[in-house]
Amino acid sequence: MDLIDKLYKLKKERNAVILAHYYQDNSIQDIADFLGDSLALAQKAKQTDADVILFCGVRFMAETAKILNPTKIVLMPDLNAGCSLADSAPADKFEKWIHTYPDNVVISYINCSTEVKAMSDIICTSSNAEKIINSVPDDKQICFAPDKHLGSYIIKKTGRDMVLWDGTCQVHIIFSELEVINLMNKHPEALLIAHPECPDNILQYADFVGSTTALLNYSINSDAKEFIVATEPGIIHQMEKKVFDKKFYPIPNLDGCSCNECPHMKLNTLEKMVAALENMQPEIFIPEELRLKAIRPLERMLELS
Ligand code: 13P
Ligand code: SF4
């Protein structure tokens, strides 16, 4: 049987919903029930009445789904789909770090482990970080982890002085500034749209900065016809599907290759999705005590979003 037919059949039998991030392979994007950024995927996972969530993204996203909706079976096509930001903040080091600043409010980017979430006061994503930081009273100091570039960007936007964890996204830190300048010279009418995980040497050229969903919406609603896209190129598939008369240019990385895909996101395949629904694994499990600690800062984020 054709792989796609098999997937639809299994999806129906298992009463499963397929949630996918925009950085997934085009073939996965095309069969997903719902596509979104980290915030929208968390909200969708919390609301779904399906019995099974097949999460096509990375592990912190699937864990977030399980934390928010624990009675569902949450499957991932490949459990090894991690994230360099989450890996940059091991729980023991993070615990020592926050104890150095006992009076600070601890805000963690959703790209972190469940253990780190459990030690945080509020979680944020790239689409609500500014709002979340602004919700903290002015007299409170803030620790922000793990993305130092998102942190620096938010410091500029809010004027808040935050202590930053030294983590980065391996995909967004390797865009070549020289190639950005070359693309801007080659396409002078193009607007540069960027994800806030990019370092400042890239963000300084951006006409618009936002989460993956925000970048997609901006490219749809803007009058501009050409865009230089400073984020993982998977999102360009949706941009091209939504608007036929616009052009999108990915930015080459430091090796001059326009192939700076997220290696973790790209571990998921249609074959692995079929196998996951067939075998009902790999499944996400979170100890209940840990889940109850991790849900508090996530619920706080959802209330504030
Ligand atoms: P978004 O929340 O903007 O989709 O970002 C998630 C991510 O991992 C970006 O690298
Ligand atoms: Fe993590 Fe970067 Fe991949 Fe996003 S693109 S999942 S931040 S490694």
Side-chain angles (χ1 to χ4, degrees), residues 95-134:
E95 189 175 14
K96 277 193 197 131
W97 183 66
I98 58 173
H99 283 161
T100 324
Y101 306 96
D103 297 326
N104 285 20
V105 176
V106 178
I107 301 186
S108 296
Y109 188 33
I110 198 164
N111 299 40
C112 64
S113 67
T114 301
E115 287 77 5
V116 165
K117 286 185 178 73
M119 288 186 264
S120 306
D121 295 309
I122 321 179
I123 301 300
C124 71
T125 74
S126 54
S127 62
N128 59 21
E130 201 178 327
K131 205 175 187 176
I132 303 272
I133 300 297
N134 280 331

Side-chain angles (χ1 to χ4, degrees), residues 181-194:
I181 296 166
N182 285 342
L183 278 170
M184 287 168 67
N185 286 334
K186 207 166 152 196
H187 308 287
E189 300 298 317
L191 297 185
L192 191 136
I193 56 177

Side-chain angles (χ1 to χ4, degrees), residues 10 35 82 90 116-117 123 136 197 206 228 303:
L10 281 162
L35 275 168
V116 165
K117 286 185 178 73
I123 301 300
V136 178
E197 287 173 14
I228 299 165
E303 280 159 25

Side-chain angles (χ1 to χ4, degrees), residues 21-23 36-39 41 58 60-61 83 85 109-111 125-127 169 171-172 195-197 210-214 231-232 262 265:
H21 189 264
Y22 295 117
Y23 296 165
D37 64 7
S38 307
L39 178 64
L41 287 166
V58 290
F60 75 81
M61 295 177 175
C83 168
L85 274 170
Y109 188 33
I110 198 164
N111 299 40
T125 74
S126 54
S127 62
C169 160
V171 175
H172 288 83
H195 196 279
E197 287 173 14
S211 76
T212 49
T213 298
T231 192
E232 213 267 7
C262 173
M265 290 275 184

Side-chain angles (χ1 to χ4, degrees), residues 79-95:
L79 216 48
N80 294 317
C83 168
S84 69
L85 274 170
D87 292 346
S88 79
D92 55 341
K93 289 203 177 120
F94 182 80
E95 189 175 14

